[in-house]
Amino acid sequence: MVGTVMSSARARSWLLALALVAAFVAPAFLVAPPPASAHASLVETTPSDGSRVDHQPDAVVLRFSEPITLVEDSIRVLDRNAERVETGEIRQEPGPDHARVALRPSLPDGVYTVAWRVVSADSHPIRGSFTFTLGDPADTSTVLHSDLADDASSVWDGVALGLRWIIYVGALAAAGLVVLGRFILPAGQQHLARELVGATRITAVAALLASLVSLPVNTIIVAGPGLSWNALSTVLGSSFGASALLGIVGLVLILAPARGVLPLLGAALATSAFVLAGHSVTAQPRSLVLASDLLHVVAAAIWLGGLIGLLILLRSGMPVESKARTVARFSTIAAILVALLALSGTAMAWAEIRDWSSLDTRYGWILLAKVAVVVLVIAVAGYNRWRLLPRIQRRSSSAPRQLARTLRIEALGLLIVLALTAALVATPPPRPTVGPHTETLELSDSLETTISVTPAVVGSNSIELQIRDDQGEPVTGLDAVTLRFSHPASGIENIERPAAQHSAGTADFHYEGSDLAIPGDWEIEVRVLVSEFELLTAATTARIQERTP
């Protein structure tokens, strides 16, 4: 608690602000996207990657692990000369997790490259490419990588990362300073109040400018070089756009000259805007993650704003007794904030990383770095609370200067934490994603098979097998190919099914069925009868996911 009795006006402002926060944050819990992966992933393509088709398909179709948003030029189909061969509008058919574009009729034999870019449910753009061969072309060269590469994309990604950090620092500091000035710092100090207002305006303006610039920057990242209204409207209609617009409204209210509840409302909107975009939008369980995210940003805002406010307080001309009481009051609140940050951070980390092995990823290493810096910041805060605060209360002349130095270190640590947070938001967490399982298995010293299980979810799955020799040439004349399915965790063993040749005399086999009916790890054994007396086997373990609605 703050250690003083709030005035009735302050209490009414606080309760009204809480009610307004609930009103604006409730839609995030009610309309957040359905369960999905961290970023959408490409599950299946027609034609498949690296395949050869004898007859020209009418269209190229991509299927993703979750609903996606199309942008301008979401799919480009290029011939070897980088000439586009798709035609018509790109459509989401037969569902929101698909993208389909028609091809020009009577295409010549050749290798075609499909370059794609879409926006996943958590507002992050994803992109990739694959190839397929039509007919039996004499020239099997593909489009040059330079014709596909977007060299500027990494630059814009870096710009977006910097802007995200400025928005975090500015918005959270401004919101925290509003709360600090209203509820924690002593009233009636005009000089102190002016300095707090000045610091609030500087941080809010920085966040506002960064937010405005981030809209066209993210439009370029999503839709490629060049700005258009269609691309901008796509970004504004995404969860990122909703978050940015709500944050801009909140920052404008913080900057408004009005007094009363408007700055508190602005602080509430500026902080709650962060939960409308990012990984927490699609993480499960949704309500727990969204609530934890909101709690996390509110606690971080009060902590960061409090540190800035205390630095202003310590250099003011207030009596030492008043400074000591205010520092002690904030120190008590900071202890509560640390507990809230730890609990909410643990809940969000659990939602993103469910096993220790996931820490050995880019996301995991950034998360560990963030935790390490937070621990150091908490250690500095503990030193301030248990060593320097008692000295200030004993009116030590040097203690305020030492506290100001350690508070700067603490604030610097929080700035580093926010930089790591900005990097985390741009990094896909290692959550399981629904997608095909593909692996090349060694049958013998001279034979291998590539197995692909699509879509690797509970229910009907298509299994493709390609059998090649050590030179990569197809192996024909095989007597039979069968598959054995086992699910050790459930005690299911050796469900045997025959694989059929795509056509007589080929080395490509397939099987389609609903045998993989339980989520988890399935052992799939490939059994190739080379002759009446020679049986070759190889096995793989495929992770089968629950089918999403």
Side-chain angles (χ1 to χ4, degrees), residues 289-354:
V289 174
L290 289 175
S292 298
D293 197 6
L294 178 61
L295 188 62
H296 205 69
V297 295
V298 169
I302 297 174
W303 193 356
L304 180 59
L307 292 178
I308 297 173
L310 289 184
L311 286 170
I312 295 173
L313 171 75
L314 289 173
R315 71 183 188 187
S316 70
M318 284 179 58
V320 174
E321 295 86 349
S322 296
K323 291 180 180 180
R325 284 195 300 270
T326 304
V327 172
R329 187 182 308 149
F330 181 75
S331 180
T332 301
I333 295 173
I336 300 173
L337 295 177
V338 168
L340 294 177
L341 285 167
L343 288 173
S344 58
T346 300
M348 290 190 294
W350 170 80
E352 308 291 7
I353 295 180
R354 301 296 181 92

Side-chain angles (χ1 to χ4, degrees), residues 131 169 191 209 211 219 221 247 301 307 376 393 411 449 540:
T131 62
V169 173
H191 176 70
L209 293 176
S211 298
T219 301
I221 293 174
L307 292 178
L376 293 176
Q393 292 171 329
T449 180
T540 183

Side-chain angles (χ1 to χ4, degrees), residues 451 461-465 467 479-485 494-502 508-515 524-529:
I451 180 173
N461 281 271
S462 173
I463 299 178
E464 300 289 335
L465 296 166
I467 302 173
D479 282 8
V481 176
T482 57
L483 298 167
R484 278 187 177 178
F485 306 117
N494 298 337
I495 300 175
E496 189 161 334
R497 296 290 185 263
Q501 283 182 299
H502 277 289
D508 298 338
F509 293 77
H510 73 278
Y511 169 76
E512 186 165 345
S514 301
D515 303 281
I524 304 176
E525 183 183 32
V526 181
R527 300 167 61 84
V528 178
L529 189 60

Side-chain angles (χ1 to χ4, degrees), residues 167-184:
I167 294 168
Y168 281 159
V169 173
L172 294 181
L177 283 166
V178 169
V179 174
L180 186 80
R182 182 63 64 91
F183 299 114
I184 300 175

Side-chain angles (χ1 to χ4, degrees), residues 19-101:
L20 290 168
V21 172
F24 277 92
V25 172
F29 291 84
L30 299 176
V31 303
S37 58
H39 291 343
S41 58
L42 184 62
V43 173
E44 183 181 14
T45 66
T46 304
S48 59
D49 184 16
S51 66
R52 186 180 67 83
V53 294
D54 294 325
H55 304 288
Q56 178 186 328
D58 295 330
V60 169
V61 182
L62 285 68
R63 183 166 71 86
F64 295 87
S65 59
E66 64 180 47
I68 47 94
T69 300
L70 298 178
V71 297
E72 287 185 283
D73 292 337
S74 265
I75 303 177
R76 293 179 298 144
V77 186
L78 310 173
D79 63 17
R80 59 181 295 271
N81 298 314
E83 296 293 331
R84 299 179 64 163
V85 299
E86 80 276 8
T87 183
E89 182 182 357
I90 304 170
R91 301 179 181 274
Q92 289 188 261
E93 295 176 350
D97 57 345
H98 284 70
R100 182 184 189 278
V101 67

Side-chain angles (χ1 to χ4, degrees), residues 70-358:
L70 298 178
V71 297
E72 287 185 283
D73 292 337
S74 265
I75 303 177
R76 293 179 298 144
V77 186
L78 310 173
D79 63 17
R80 59 181 295 271
N81 298 314
E83 296 293 331
R84 299 179 64 163
V85 299
E86 80 276 8
T87 183
E89 182 182 357
I90 304 170
R91 301 179 181 274
Q92 289 188 261
E93 295 176 350
D97 57 345
H98 284 70
R100 182 184 189 278
V101 67
L103 297 177
R104 291 205 310 250
S106 304
L107 292 178
D109 290 357
V111 180
Y112 292 88
T113 300
V114 181
W116 55 269
R117 66 167 77 212
V118 297
V119 180
S120 59
D122 64 357
S123 78
H124 288 91
I126 57 172
R127 59 179 74 92
S129 62
F130 65 92
T131 62
F132 68 92
T133 302
L134 174 60
D136 189 15
D139 186 348
T140 58
S141 59
T142 61
V143 62
L144 294 176
H145 177 73
S146 58
D147 292 319
L148 292 176
D150 185 359
D151 295 332
S153 61
S154 59
V155 175
W156 289 113
D157 287 340
V159 172
L161 180 63
L163 291 171
R164 191 179 301 116
W165 178 72
I166 295 172
I167 294 168
Y168 281 159
V169 173
L172 294 181
L177 283 166
V178 169
V179 174
L180 186 80
R182 182 63 64 91
F183 299 114
I184 300 175
L185 293 183
Q189 302 288 329
Q190 295 300 321
H191 176 70
L192 179 61
R194 284 196 298 272
E195 290 208 42
L196 281 177
V197 170
T200 303
R201 290 186 178 279
I202 290 172
T203 53
V205 167
L208 179 59
L209 293 176
S211 298
L212 293 171
V213 175
S214 71
L215 291 172
V217 168
N218 277 271
T219 301
I220 292 173
I221 293 174
V222 166
L227 291 173
S228 68
W229 172 247
N230 287 336
L232 183 59
S233 63
T234 298
V235 170
L236 292 175
S238 69
S239 58
F240 169 82
S243 173
L245 292 176
L246 187 62
I248 288 170
V249 172
L251 292 167
V252 169
L253 291 178
I254 290 176
L255 291 168
R259 297 179 60 84
V261 77
L262 280 183
L264 280 176
L265 173 59
L269 296 182
T271 50
S272 60
F274 290 112
V275 308
L276 297 181
H279 303 315
S280 60
V281 175
T282 55
Q284 293 296 310
R286 182 177 62 181
S287 296
L288 173 64
V289 174
L290 289 175
S292 298
D293 197 6
L294 178 61
L295 188 62
H296 205 69
V297 295
V298 169
I302 297 174
W303 193 356
L304 180 59
L307 292 178
I308 297 173
L310 289 184
L311 286 170
I312 295 173
L313 171 75
L314 289 173
R315 71 183 188 187
S316 70
M318 284 179 58
V320 174
E321 295 86 349
S322 296
K323 291 180 180 180
R325 284 195 300 270
T326 304
V327 172
R329 187 182 308 149
F330 181 75
S331 180
T332 301
I333 295 173
I336 300 173
L337 295 177
V338 168
L340 294 177
L341 285 167
L343 288 173
S344 58
T346 300
M348 290 190 294
W350 170 80
E352 308 291 7
I353 295 180
R354 301 296 181 92
D355 56 76
W356 294 109
S357 62
S358 296

